[in-house]
Each structure stands twice: as structure tokens, then as C-alpha cells.
């Protein structure tokens, strides 16, 4: 869209914008489109969608507020930003719910049409904050605009549309205005609208008109003294796209199956925030993917395990409540020693808990949430784009070691997005597997025989025999089997041996894990900040802040949580203090203390939101101060 504005242009290195409104105001779509247009300009970015669990909470109320935060910059960034520089609030509830997060001097763009007495009363405002001077006195740059009226007026020529239908396009008008203010090209959004509403020409033209009207308002108004520009971030050459964690995870599973030469079968029951993976994979049938939406969580994992028995890469997706329901079948997969990937997109708990909010509270469930000695490898993704690589790694371990693997992500990673450098197929690991095709042993009389638990000497994996292969018939099920022969066995010594073999097999995964990477640029750090999962971004941003003030701090991040990297104990003992931020009450810290006898210092929060960089930087400063007060800058 050509820009005829004469408003002075100011260069910024980074901006954080939050769009907020009712769950029916289209804030997620608005944020997503702004993000896509930003990505096309080459900025680095990170997003944080935040929406209520209800399909439609009471209109104009605090529980019904939906928001989308995007942080974009001309340099590498690690988080969606601690606090918004700009808040677009579509009603009083959106303003009140988010105002406390804004720093002094932040810009407020508010839909003044919604600030009537009734909407103000719903959220406890006794006076109109747009008129009583309180926002200006607090240091905010206020732009109160009648966005709804402006939209209806812009769409006046569309006589076949009702007023309510016209009002729905107000998010596009706001998007057009913000696109002008931050020098975003709207061509991508226009193409998106044409694809989405091509079959409804009036709706399409109305949305395009509203988008252009918002952009034109920015060009012609004198309400904004300056507009802004953020230069592209330097990135290695390649093909990039914006991707969410759930999208990346789905593609990672497809890539893993392709590299393994296996059909991918997903057995899934819809559950927030994991359902997007089912949606993504259901559109990829042409890539050797079969998706089965089951009637419940137990049926879903049963389908996936059955597919693995049949020679496919079986996958099931869920969140914490569903993982609990799947526990018996995970135990069956441990007993049968079949490859299976269980994806847990964690959310706030217990029970239904906070379905749309993030948490890291399923680690102990993943480690121990089954009856008996039932060890499984556990892998955790660290960022939205890393979900792709973590999925491939989970599939590698599952197929190579014939074991179920639990892959942990969470709502923050699953719904968040960032630029992803699309890899070439040649750069992906070779995961090809071989199925048993003939007898692998001799019986007592010297005749060829197939023994289903004659293990690989390196991995201790048993052979993978596809049902129907002549001569490879064998028993399968949850009752304990005899070592080597696979016959049903109740022998105490055999059970002890099989339990120890299954544990040893998981332990041997550690030999295939690279050494733990430690970021300690000065080599003088006495404090190590250790993380796992989605704390990666906040920890990285926090250590940058601390180092910028002269503090020496190291950081490391765990992908493999069972087994741990072989050198983890040595790394932990290298530092005087280990600080471990977790979005739970210290689950990994407890495991590390028990395993390595290191006094790991927990910093925990279970607010349903990711840590902020400033919060963790303060925690690190406090630990540095406790060790060496004279070395810490205040």
C-alpha cells in the first residue's frame, strides 16, 4: 500500500505492541496478521497470544479479555517482551486488564466508542479514564479514537451489510492504523483476506476497505506527531517463514517419519492447547500422514500404539489431563517395547486448571506417572522453532531404542511464533529403521527361530517385527515376558532382569546425547542459570541484561530430561551456585538435588504466564550479590 504521509519517521531498534479486546473482537487474528506482515520485512520477532478458556466470555468483562503481544526488533530477541510499548485497547475491560503492564510513557490507542457508562461499570470504572485526565497524568500518550464509528462510516457504501457486520471490521481498521504507524506493508494481509473471504465478495471488500481506511487515517491525521520504522534484523541467508510451536512440532513429526521411511499415524483427542497439531497434520495426508480423532484420550493412544505395532511411527498428542489418562497405555508401550511419541503441550493445572495458560508442571508426571518401574525418555522443546528439532529428536530416540518417548512443550511455545529458517532435507538426520525379516536365533535343537527380545547389543532395543511377517509370530501384551524368548513369565529373577534391562535401555540414550552446551563468555562466572523448556527465552534475555551491567553469569539449557546428559553433574559442580527458574514449584530442582547432591536454588512461579527478563535478571543479581557484593553493579 503506497504511503503518502509526510509525518516524520523515527527509527527504533525494537517495539512491543499488545492488541487487546473482547474474545470476539478478532485480536488474535489482528496480532497474527501484524506478525506476518512484520516477518515479511525481515524483523526478528516473538509473540505471546493470551486468551480466555471460554469460547465466548461475557462481553465487556475482564474474564473475556483476549490479547496478542508481538515483540519485533532489528536484532536477535528471545522473548515477546516484558512490557508493551503500545497498547491497543478495544474496550474498558481491555484497558483495565492490561494497563498495569504498561510502563510510563507507553502509547495507548483506545476505541473511545466502547467507553459508555454500561461498559465502564462492568469493570468498576466510576469515571471515564479517557476523559478524567488520569491516563495523561500517569504519563501515557493517549490516542482516544472512535474506531467503531470510523469503521461504520468507512463502510457506509456497503448497504447490504448490517451495522453489526460493519462493526466487526474494526479490528482491520486498527490493523491498518498500526501498520501505517510502524511502516508495515499490508500486502500480505490483503492476500490473506482474499484467500479467506474470496467466496464472500462483500465481506472481502468490507475488510479490505476497513484496512485501507485505517492506513489512510494515519496518513491524513495530525494526531500522531511521528511514525516509526524498525530495520530488518541480520539473519543468515536462507528461506524463512513465521511459525508457531505447534506448527513446527507437526512438521517435525512429518519430517521424522519421512527420514525414518515410516508412515506417520496420529491418534489424538482434541484438547487445549494441543489441538492445533491435529489440525495441522490432518491437512498433510499426501505426505504419508494418517490422523485419527478418537472418542477419548485412552482410545487415541491405543490407536497410536497399535499403529507402532503395525510398523508405523505412532504419535499421540495431549495436555496434562490427557497425559494422566494415557498413563496405562504408556506403561503398555514400555512393556511391549514399541516406539511411540507422546506429545504433551503443558498447561496450568491441576484438573481442568487454566486450559489456555502456560505452565511446566507435568515434568514429574512425565517421569513417574505410571505404575511399576516404567522408565521413558523425556525431551523438552525450548522455543517455538525448536519444537521442530525436538520432535525429530523424540522420534529418533523412540525408533532407535524401541521405547515410548514423552515430548514436552507448553502453551507459551505452542501458540507463540517466531521466524524459522526452513532446513533442507539433506541437513536432517537419517532416521532409517530396519524391520525384522527373518529368524534371529536358534532354538535348543538348532533350528532357526525368532526371539522378540533378543536385543541390540548397543542400544538394548528389541527387534521390530511387523505383524504378518512369515515366521516372526510372537506374543505381545502387558504381561511380563521372558528375556530373549518373549514367552509369558512370572519368574522373579526374570522380572528383575527385564525391569533392569528396560531401565538400562533408557540410560543408554545418554550415550547418544551431545555434551551440555554452556554459555559462559567470560569464563569467570560463579553462578550458572540452568533451564529447561520454555524458560530458554527469558533466561537468555535476563543473562544479557546482567552481562550488560558487568555481571558474570553462565547459562545452560536442558533438552533431555531423562536421561540427563552424561556431563551434567560435572557442569553443575563447576559453579558455586546453580539457579533454576521453573514454571512449577521446583520439580526439576528436586530431581537434580536427589541425583547430583547439588544445592540447586529454585526460582518458581505458576501464574500461567512466562517469566519476564527483568524478573529473572533481578533474581540473578541477588545471587551474584550474595556471592560477591563488591562485584555487582546496582
Amino acid at each position: 500500500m503506497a504511503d503518502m504521509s509526510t509525518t516524520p519517521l523515527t527509527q527504533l531498534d525494537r517495539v512491543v505492541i499488545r492488541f487487546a479486546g473482547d474474545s470476539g473482537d478478532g485480536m488474535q487474528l489482528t496480532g497474527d496478521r501484524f506478525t506476518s506482515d512484520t516477518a515479511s520485512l525481515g524483523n526478528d520477532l516473538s509473540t505471546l497470544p493470551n486468551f480466555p478458556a471460554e469460547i465466548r466470555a461475557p462481553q465487556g468483562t475482564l474474564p473475556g479479555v483476549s490479547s496478542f503481544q508481538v515483540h519485533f526488533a532489528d536484532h536477535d530477541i528471545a522473548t515477546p517482551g516484558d512490557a508493551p510499548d503500545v497498547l491497543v485497547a478495544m474496550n474498558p475491560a481491555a484497558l483495565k486488564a492490561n494497563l498495569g503492564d504498561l510502563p510510563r510513557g507507553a502509547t495507548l490507542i483506545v476505541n473511545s466508542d466502547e467507553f459508555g457508562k454500561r461498559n465502564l461499570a462492568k469493570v468498576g470504572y466510576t469515571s471515564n479514564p479517557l476523559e478524567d485526565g488520569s491516563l495523561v497524568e500517569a504519563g501515557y500518550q493517549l490516542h482516544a479514537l472512535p474506531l467503531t464509528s470510523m469503521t461504520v462510516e468507512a463502510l457506509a457504501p456497503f448497504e447490504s451489510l448490517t451495522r453489526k457486520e460493519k462493526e466487526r471490521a474494526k479490528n482491520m481498521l486498527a490493523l491498518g492504523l498500526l501498520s501505517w504507524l510502524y511502516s508495515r506493508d499490508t500486502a500480505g494481509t490483503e492476500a490473506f483476506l482474499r484467500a479467506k473471504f474470496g467466496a464472500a465478495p462483500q465481506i472481502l471488500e468490507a475488510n479490505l476497505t476497513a484496512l485501507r481506511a485505517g492506513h489512510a487515517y494515519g496518513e491524513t491525521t495530525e494526531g500522531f506527531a511521528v511514525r516509526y520504522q524498525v530495520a530488518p534484523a541480520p539473519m543468515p541467508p536462507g528461506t524463512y517463514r513465521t511459525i508457531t510451536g505447534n506448527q513446527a512440532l507437526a512438521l517435525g513429526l512429518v519430517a521424522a517419519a519421512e527420514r525414518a521411511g515410516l508412515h506417520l499415524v496420529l491418534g489424538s483427542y482434541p484438547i487445549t492447547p494441543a489441538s492445533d497439531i491435529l489440525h495441522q497434520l490432518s491437512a498433510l495426508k499426501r505426505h504419508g500422514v494418517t490422523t485419527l480423532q478418537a472418542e477419548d484420550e485412552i482410545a487415541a493412544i491405543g490407536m497410536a500404539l497399535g499403529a507402532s505395532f503395525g510398523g508405523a511411527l505412532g504419535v499421540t498428542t495431549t495436555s496434562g489431563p490427557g497425559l494422566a489418562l494415557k498413563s496405562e497405555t504408556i506403561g503398555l508401550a514400555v512393556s511391549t517395547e514399541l516406539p511411540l511419541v507422546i506429545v504433551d503441550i503443558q498447561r496450568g493445572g491441576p484438573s481442568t486448571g487454566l486450559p489456555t495458560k502456560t505452565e511446566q508442571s507435568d515434568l514429574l508426571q512425565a517421569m513417574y506417572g505410571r505404575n511399576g518401574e516404567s522408565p521413558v525418555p523425556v525431551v523438552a522443546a525450548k522455543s517455538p522453532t525448536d519444537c521442530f528439532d525436538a520432535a525429530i529428536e523424540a522420534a529418533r530416540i523412540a525408533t532407535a531404542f524401541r521405547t515410548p518417548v514423552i515430548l514436552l512443550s507448553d502453551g507459551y511455545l505452542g501458540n507463540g511464533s517466531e521466524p524459522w529458517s526452513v532446513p533442507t532435507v539433506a541437513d536432517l538426520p537419517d532416521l532409517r529403521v530396519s524391520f525384522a525379516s527373518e529368524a534371529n536365533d536358534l532354538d535348543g535343537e538348532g533350528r532357526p527361530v525368532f526371539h522378540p527380545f533378543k536385543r541390540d547389543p548397543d542400544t538394548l532395543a528389541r527387534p521390530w517385527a511387523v505383524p504378518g511377517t512369515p515366521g516372526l509370530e510372537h506374543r505381545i501384551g502387558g504381561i511380563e515376558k521372558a528375556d530373549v524368548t518373549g514367552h509369558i513369565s512370572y519368574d522373579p529373577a526374570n522380572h528383575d532382569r527385564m525391569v533392569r534391562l528396560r531401565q538400562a535401555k533408557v540410560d543408554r540414550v545418554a550415550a547418544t546425547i551431545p555434551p551440555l552446551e554452556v554459555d559462559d563468555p567470560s569464563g569467570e562466572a560463579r553462578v550458572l542459570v540452568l533451564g529447561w523448556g520454555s524458560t530458554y527465552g527469558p533466561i537468555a534475555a535476563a543473562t544479557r541484561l546482567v552481562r550488560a551491567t558487568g555481571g558474570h553469569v553462565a547459562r545452560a539449557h536442558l533438552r533431555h530430561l531423562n536421561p540427563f546428559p552424561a556431563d551434567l553433574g560435572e557442569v553443575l559442580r563447576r559453579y558455586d551456585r546453580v539457579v533454576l527458574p521453573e514454571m512449577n514449584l521446583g520439580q526439576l530442582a528436586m530431581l537434580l538435588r536427589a541425583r547430583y547432591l547439588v544445592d540447586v536454588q529454585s526460582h518458581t512461579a505458576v501464574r500461567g504466564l512466562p517469566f519476564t527478563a527483568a524478573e529473572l535478571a533481578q533474581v540473578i543479581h541477588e545471587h551474584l550479590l550474595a556471592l560477591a557484593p563488591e562485584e555487582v553493579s546496582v
Side-chain angles (χ1 to χ4, degrees), residues 432-444:
R432 280 176 293 183
V433 298
S434 58
F435 294 107
S437 59
E438 57 187 8
N440 61 356
D441 212 344
L442 300 175
D443 64 12

Side-chain angles (χ1 to χ4, degrees), residues 24 285 423 464:
K285 293 181 176 64
W464 194 356

